[in-house]
Amino acid sequence: MDVSSIRSDFPIYSSEERDLVYFDNACQTFRPRQVIEAMNEYYELYPACGGRSVHRLATRVSIKLDEAREKVARFIGCDDPNCIIFTRGCTESLNMVAKGRLLKDGDHVLTTDMEHNSNHVPWVQVAMHQDIRHRIVGTPPSGIFDMDRFRDALDDVALVSMVHTNNVTGTTIPAGEIVKEAHDRGALVCLDGAQSTPHQRIDVKELDVDMFAFSSHKMLGPSGMGILYAKMDILERMEPLIGGGGGVGLTTYDRVEFLPPPERFESGLMNYSGVIGTAAAVDYLTRVGMEGVQEHERRLNDIVTRGLKDLPGISILPPADPALRSGIFSFNLQGMTSHDIAMIIDEMAKVLIRSGMHCVHPYFVSRGIDGCARASFYLYNTEEEAHRFVEAVKELSSVFSS
Ligand SMILES: Cc1ncc(COP(=O)(O)O)c(C=O)c1O
């Protein structure tokens, strides 16, 4: 992977901010000019509505929409583009699953104890209005998913809904094994792929996962865009979260007939430039190759972990082995809050990282931790930036940490 050629595609690296170290990629990534240009082209050349009007500009939008669906489907190993639903983000995708009335009264849902609020709050909400029990399987102190605990927790579970790669620790659960075990016991599986899809090759068919949610803005695409994949028989049973124009056939005063998927889930005028930008992001990542992206992030995480693991006062969130943490390095420094770390390191060294509880409040609260600082890497980050981060944390620790 040629990182310097990749960097030349990102306008921010030719701007006056070119020397900052952006390690907040698990929140949002930068966008290459190919994505920005594709989105601008929509607004400049064919800013119309897809799927409804029949004039030439609208037809162009409809074609782009179909192409985008095909590209996203191919990117995650799905054969049927109609199984791809465009949403406002991974949160909306997961809400569609939780609130799609797939479960009946008395059913149990199983999550991990380390879910992002996007895969926690909807289940708590559903359990307030329906007789659904939300159960949780605990993660051992090693930070590594425990298949035995999972098997023990599977009794009476109708749906397993879990974070594929964790946004705080970077660990990836053994999705293939989980799906197989769950299916053998009669449960469906939904994965929150917000932090896995941008960083590794995903093949929903190989995984045999029933539902898979992810974001566009964490993988070079536009903000406020996401995707829900689900098997067709599930989409056909799932109730749309949003009803309105575009998602239905002929309506009467008292009757509504929803169109087949995907249209029934995409009512209202869509974010067409967002969809087009998502397709451009997928093109970009496909061209680079996901294996290269994953390998590169591992290398950066290895540099950072080796550089900091013996620093007095540092605690790295487990697992210790960087090869198990994808592109995520989460840590605390004794005597400092995570927000102090993030603010000072920005001021001191122009290194941008995330701090706080990262929307995984129950994980931190249950362990009595106030939060953590998180550095997260992507394909345009360099080894030199990883070393700069290491030096900045060392300096911070020597000046402020006790
Ligand atoms: C694991 C995980 N799930 C879900 C989300 C929410 O994604 P979105 O912002 O697309 O709604 C995030 C965002 O940080 C995440 O890290």
Side-chain angles (χ1 to χ4, degrees), residues 26-27 88-92 94 116 118-119 163 165-167 192 194-195 214-218 225-226 354 358-359 374:
C27 174
R88 282 191 309 125
C90 189
T91 303
E92 185 170 286
L94 291 164
H116 189 283
S118 308
N119 191 38
V163 62
T165 296
N166 191 274
N167 62 310
D192 169 354
Q195 300 292 349
F214 57 107
S215 320
S216 180
H217 47 256
K218 297 181 196 298
M225 270 303 299
R354 179 77 178 268
H358 314 275
C359 298
R374 177 188 71 189

Side-chain angles (χ1 to χ4, degrees), residues 2-11 13-14 33-34 284:
D2 182 352
V3 178
S4 70
S5 151
I6 287 173
R7 278 169 86 88
S8 69
D9 288 330
F10 288 78
Y13 291 124
S14 332
R33 71 185 150 69
Q34 290 86 340
Y284 193 94

Side-chain angles (χ1 to χ4, degrees), residues 90-395:
C90 189
T91 303
E92 185 170 286
S93 304
L94 291 164
N95 271 267
M96 284 165 69
V97 172
K99 296 166 188 173
R101 299 220 158 247
L102 289 168
L103 301 179
K104 55 183 189 329
D105 281 346
D107 278 347
H108 293 197
V109 175
L110 186 67
T111 68
T112 70
D113 59 345
M114 300 175 63
E115 297 301 326
H116 189 283
N117 277 331
S118 308
N119 191 38
H120 172 65
V121 176
W123 297 116
V124 174
Q125 280 183 298
V126 166
M128 288 191 302
H129 302 293
Q130 226 185 319
D131 179 19
I132 300 290
R133 193 145 158 241
H134 174 197
R135 285 167 35 198
I136 291 168
V137 61
T139 309
S142 65
I144 298 167
F145 189 82
D146 184 333
M147 274 308 284
D148 288 332
R149 287 190 192 193
F150 171 68
R151 279 187 205 99
D152 291 345
L154 259 183
D155 282 345
D156 301 323
V157 167
L159 175 65
V160 172
S161 188
M162 292 185 167
V163 62
H164 190 195
T165 296
N166 191 274
N167 62 310
V168 175
T169 61
T171 48
T172 299
I173 59 174
E177 264 183 89
I178 287 171
V179 171
K180 183 163 183 334
E181 196 78 38
H183 285 176
D184 286 349
R185 307 272 288 271
L188 295 174
V189 179
C190 170
L191 291 178
D192 169 354
Q195 300 292 349
S196 58
T197 320
H199 308 287
Q200 66 174 83
R201 188 181 69 85
I202 296 293
D203 190 323
V204 289
K205 212 165 115 200
E206 204 172 283
L207 286 173
D208 197 23
V209 64
D210 302 290
M211 291 154 271
F212 191 86
F214 57 107
S215 320
S216 180
H217 47 256
K218 297 181 196 298
M219 42 181 270
L220 309 181
S223 304
M225 270 303 299
I227 288 104
L228 174 66
Y229 156 82
K231 290 178 179 167
M232 186 48 78
D233 64 306
I234 293 173
L235 288 176
E236 281 166 351
R237 283 192 281 134
M238 209 165 103
E239 219 170 88
L241 186 64
I242 306 281
V248 288
L250 193 66
T251 59
T252 64
Y253 287 115
D254 53 10
R255 261 198 68 236
V256 164
E257 205 164 293
F258 284 100
L259 290 174
E263 279 87 0
R264 73 169 61 169
F265 298 104
E266 294 176 345
S267 290
L269 198 119
M270 291 171 71
N271 177 2
Y272 298 111
S273 77
V275 170
I276 290 161
T278 298
V282 160
D283 279 344
Y284 193 94
L285 286 172
T286 305
R287 211 167 44 249
V288 172
M290 293 309 293
E291 279 79 8
V293 173
Q294 186 173 25
E295 183 51 39
H296 178 65
E297 289 175 19
R298 282 217 178 123
R299 199 160 40 244
L300 298 185
N301 211 345
D302 193 55
I303 292 173
V304 167
T305 305
R306 269 192 289 117
L308 290 173
K309 69 181 169 41
D310 297 323
L311 185 71
I314 198 166
S315 51
I316 299 170
L317 267 64
D321 182 357
L324 300 177
R325 277 190 272 107
S326 167
I328 288 182
F329 178 86
S330 290
F331 68 105
N332 275 303
L333 287 178
Q334 202 178 353
M336 295 185 80
T337 69
S338 63
H339 295 309
D340 285 344
I341 298 171
M343 275 189 295
I344 300 170
I345 208 170
D346 179 6
E347 279 303 310
M348 236 173 60
K350 287 194 170 179
V351 172
L352 314 188
I353 59 170
R354 179 77 178 268
S355 51
M357 292 201 187
H358 314 275
C359 298
V360 192
H361 304 149
Y363 166 82
F364 287 100
V365 173
S366 65
R367 285 161 176 78
I369 314 173
D370 288 338
C372 69
R374 177 188 71 189
S376 50
F377 320 114
Y378 212 25
L379 71 173
Y380 38 69
N381 293 129
T382 63
E383 294 188 13
E384 188 263 328
E385 288 180 326
H387 288 295
R388 241 176 88 190
F389 170 71
V390 168
E391 290 316 309
V393 174
K394 283 184 178 167
E395 194 181 340

Side-chain angles (χ1 to χ4, degrees), residues 27-77:
C27 174
Q28 275 206 83
T29 63
F30 290 159
R31 285 78 176 179
R33 71 185 150 69
Q34 290 86 340
V35 168
I36 298 164
E37 281 168 8
M39 293 175 72
N40 284 347
E41 196 181 85
Y42 164 78
Y43 282 116
E44 285 171 5
L45 302 181
Y46 54 102
C49 169
R52 294 167 174 80
S53 311
V54 293
H55 54 74
R56 68 187 68 197
L57 290 187
T59 304
R60 196 161 165 197
V61 179
S62 298
I63 292 169
K64 284 284 189 185
L65 188 57
D66 289 346
E67 279 174 8
R69 222 183 282 284
E70 280 162 24
K71 285 179 180 179
V72 171
R74 217 174 303 130
F75 186 66
I76 60 163

